[in-house]
Amino acid sequence: MIAPVGPLSFRSSNSATHLSPDVSFLKQLASSIFLLIALTLLNSPLAVAQTPVTNGYKDFSFGTSGITATTGEKPESKLWYTPDGIWWGNFYNDPARQYHIYRFVPSTQSWVDTGTAVDNRTSSKSDALWDGQKLYIVSHIFTTNAVATSSNWGRLYRYSYNSTNRTYTLDSGFPVTNVTRGKSETLTIAKDSTGKLWVTYVEGGKPMVNRTTGSDAQWGTPFVMPGDTTTTTVTTDDISSIIAFGGDKVGIMWSNQNTSRFYFSVHADGGSDTAWTQEIPITGPTGLSDDHINLKTTSDGRVFAAVKTSFTASADPLIKLLVRGAGGGWTDYNFGRKTDHHTRPIVVLDPPSSTLYVFATSPESGGAIYYKSSNINNISFPVGLGTPFIRNTSENNINDATSSKQNVTSSSGLLVAATNNTVRAYYHNSFGLGSSSGAPTITSFTPTSGSAGDQVTITGTNFTGTTAVSFNGTNTATFNIASDTQLTASVPLGATSGKIAVTNAAGTGTSSSDFSIASAPPTITSFTPASGPVGTAVTITGTNFTNSSAVKFNGTTATFTVTNATTIQTTVPGGAQTGKISVTAPGGTASSANDFTVTTTPPGTQTFTLNPTADTYVRGGTYSSTNFGASTLLNARTSTVPDNYRDAYLKYDLGTISSVTSAKIQFLSRLGTTASVLTEVRSVADTSWAEAGMTYDTRPALGTVLGTVTVSGSTYVWYEVDVTSYVQSEKAAGRNTVSVALHDSVDSGTYRIIYAKEWSAANAAKLVVVGN
């Protein structure tokens, strides 16, 4: 209410001037209206301007106050939506120097600042949980070296929501300021079926847990995650995350870069606070874990974890999706390779449409947010970066995708936010799910033919919410939705001529005409070795080998495996004669420039290609009592650092071979980097070792050096070492079992990887014997 004001006057520099009553009234009225508008604006939430960019929208600035990555960290959610279909976010308001709750307006793709305050600590980050009744926001001071402190502990904010006027009110007794006892890199929250709240974080190199002991405002003392000290002793770079799942459990996943593992511990609701059952979601070689975790769950109790590895070779999996079955047991799926440089993945589930989405940044330093989708019950991701979702080609530093802990549906749609630390602004993008307009239709596409990697523009209807684009059934196309009536797709590797199909939650639309694949012809650039008898393993290098249909040695057909578009693994077939090697692929047939020389063997002899009856590796230091017999990959490395030392052991059964003319060890191997190392094949006299039981502490002694070969680069190549004399001497002594070890003569600075028989019989290390 604005009080009436009497006649207005002002004094000039030399005299006082009195206004007439009419002029005075008009001045008073104008002033009152201006003040009324100003007060209205100050007390009303304002929509924050957004700008369309290449993909998505650029939102408001989070200022120049020094804070960064306000949509981080990886396990944390900054968004949620309420039953009235409204999306909300916890974003930093720079003029107020604190975080506020913002409302998303889809019609204008903008955010409205509600003015509801959250944490006023500028260096804090948070995790939001909407439980259907209350909004919980747990907030912590961010640090990359989490330690206990005397102040600035983790806080819990709890809000009540009024759907009529779309407002949030901080509940009495909040915030609670003793949720943690220090600073941390991440802090996540979950609520179990009994109503108990749980949080987890890493502090002092340990995954920590805390929980309520009564009401939401009553918290106990944090404790270290129960478990073996090896699994719970982590690096300062590791993190943890928590999720409620299955209707009666909570689970905590943490990374451990000391052991190269992720761990997942399960707690039954209502059980003792310290009763947890530990699981290992995935096993493998060194480099399997990094500090990137994002968890979601479905109503049937499955748990989905988007994680990142520390692998370094270009073809290695960098981002994985780990899935825990409703009854337990884990399966892993590759999302992206090191060459794609994805980072900070999050997973979003749309169970009604049986679809899941994984969003990730590329490159790792920041650039754009990409996504790939998959059927939630038949998970498979296409190779490559994926579809751009949030991208601004003039500002290439977008990072830290975030969304809601909740699963999405057709009524909620899908919303993802991110930040750009260079221009210090928020970004977002969204799309609808389960289009009510029905399945897509395809009216045309251009061009009508092309090769793998070519861009095709597809025109039709109902493209919003597209989850897959396929070319003649090859469901690995990356695509970008331009509008509800147009999208672009990249012809996937391995596609053949046929119909194009576009799928959304309502169904699939198929083109009336075929897209023709114009395949590039294959080429052979080299092969190794250059000669050998029947049964010799040969690696062929070239281009356009995908979907190859034949490999021949001077016209004689050989069995083969296409490793990738540039590599084929084969063996010299029986009856082969010296001459050219040829490869037939969809684009034609290529012949080698040089001859492969087929060497002869004495009359009555034959070639025996033996797979190992046992293979494993040992590792020193803290792993000296660990058995790696079930590993699909073997490791070798010489190092003065005990934890880095590894040797690979192989054992073969000579069976009924009565005499040996020649014997060679062949193994498929690479290094973790582009370095090189001289590898020794050594004799192992003691053949009594068991794959399932041997460790570094119980390993048999290494014998003499039988031969050497230089292993180079981060691409898998077949290597061969002659061990004829050793095998002949073992056979002459009446021993039908021979054992060797692969040992690196010097430390290359990285580990060496060899395929184990558990990976596949075709790629297992072999003993090729020529004899009777």
Side-chain angles (χ1 to χ4, degrees), residues 321-370:
L321 183 69
L322 312 181
V323 181
R324 186 185 191 272
W330 290 83
T331 308
D332 66 283
Y333 303 91
N334 292 340
F335 171 84
R337 304 163 299 170
K338 175 62 177 178
T339 189
D340 300 317
H341 295 288
H342 289 118
T343 192
R344 297 176 180 268
I346 65 169
V347 57
V348 178
L349 306 181
D350 176 14
S353 297
S354 297
T355 305
L356 64 82
Y357 304 84
V358 175
F359 296 82
T361 303
S362 182
E364 292 166 279
S365 58
I369 307 298
Y370 295 85

Side-chain angles (χ1 to χ4, degrees), residues 12-256:
S12 68
S13 58
N14 53 19
S15 65
T17 304
H18 294 275
L19 300 176
S20 69
D22 289 343
V23 174
S24 174
F25 172 75
L26 292 175
K27 287 282 189 178
Q28 174 185 337
L29 180 61
S31 176
S32 299
I33 292 172
F34 176 80
L35 181 57
L36 179 60
I37 293 173
L39 289 174
T40 301
L41 291 175
L42 285 172
N43 289 278
S44 300
L46 298 177
V48 184
Q50 50 74 28
T51 304
V53 293
T54 313
N55 300 94
Y57 300 86
K58 180 180 179 181
D59 298 313
F60 57 98
S61 170
F62 52 83
T64 58
S65 57
I67 65 167
T68 59
T70 61
T71 53
E73 282 290 304
K74 288 86 71 174
E76 299 173 349
S77 298
K78 314 302 178 188
L79 308 182
W80 66 96
Y81 65 86
T82 44
D84 49 8
I86 299 174
W87 279 85
W88 306 84
N90 179 27
F91 297 143
Y92 185 72
N93 183 299
D94 192 58
R97 301 283 290 169
Q98 63 186 5
Y99 286 84
H100 282 183
I101 294 175
Y102 284 74
R103 175 167 55 87
F104 181 63
V105 183
S107 60
T108 57
Q109 293 292 319
S110 60
W111 292 94
V112 171
D113 179 10
T114 66
T116 304
V118 189
D119 202 330
N120 62 356
R121 299 175 295 178
T122 59
S123 60
S124 66
K125 297 188 187 298
S126 65
D127 187 40
L129 168 67
W130 169 261
D131 75 344
Q133 301 294 326
K134 296 285 186 179
L135 170 66
Y136 297 90
I137 296 179
V138 66
S139 185
H140 64 105
I141 296 296
F142 173 80
T143 179
T144 56
N145 188 11
V147 294
T149 59
S150 59
S151 60
N152 273 324
W153 295 349
R155 299 177 181 176
L156 174 67
Y157 297 78
R158 193 185 75 184
Y159 297 87
S160 295
Y161 176 58
N162 186 319
S163 60
T164 302
N165 54 20
R166 298 175 177 177
T167 58
Y168 288 87
T169 304
L170 184 67
D171 288 345
S172 176
F174 293 87
V176 178
T177 59
N178 65 339
V179 172
T180 71
R181 298 297 188 272
K183 303 176 181 179
S184 58
E185 183 174 344
T186 65
L187 178 64
T188 54
I189 186 171
K191 189 175 188 179
D192 72 18
S193 61
T194 70
K196 178 177 288 189
L197 296 174
W198 297 82
V199 296
T200 185
Y201 56 101
V202 168
E203 178 184 287
K206 296 286 185 180
M208 304 293 293
V209 187
N210 201 1
R211 72 291 185 215
T212 51
T213 57
S215 69
D216 290 347
Q218 295 173 301
W219 285 80
T221 301
F223 56 90
V224 176
M225 165 59 67
D228 182 84
T229 56
T230 300
T231 67
T232 59
T233 301
V234 302
T235 73
T236 57
D237 189 46
D238 284 306
I239 63 171
S240 61
S241 184
I242 191 167
I243 192 165
F245 71 101
D248 58 358
K249 294 179 283 292
V250 293
I252 291 179
M253 179 173 282
W254 69 97
S255 60
N256 188 331

Side-chain angles (χ1 to χ4, degrees), residues 68 323 493 586 715 722:
T68 59
V323 181
L493 192 67
T715 301
D722 193 301

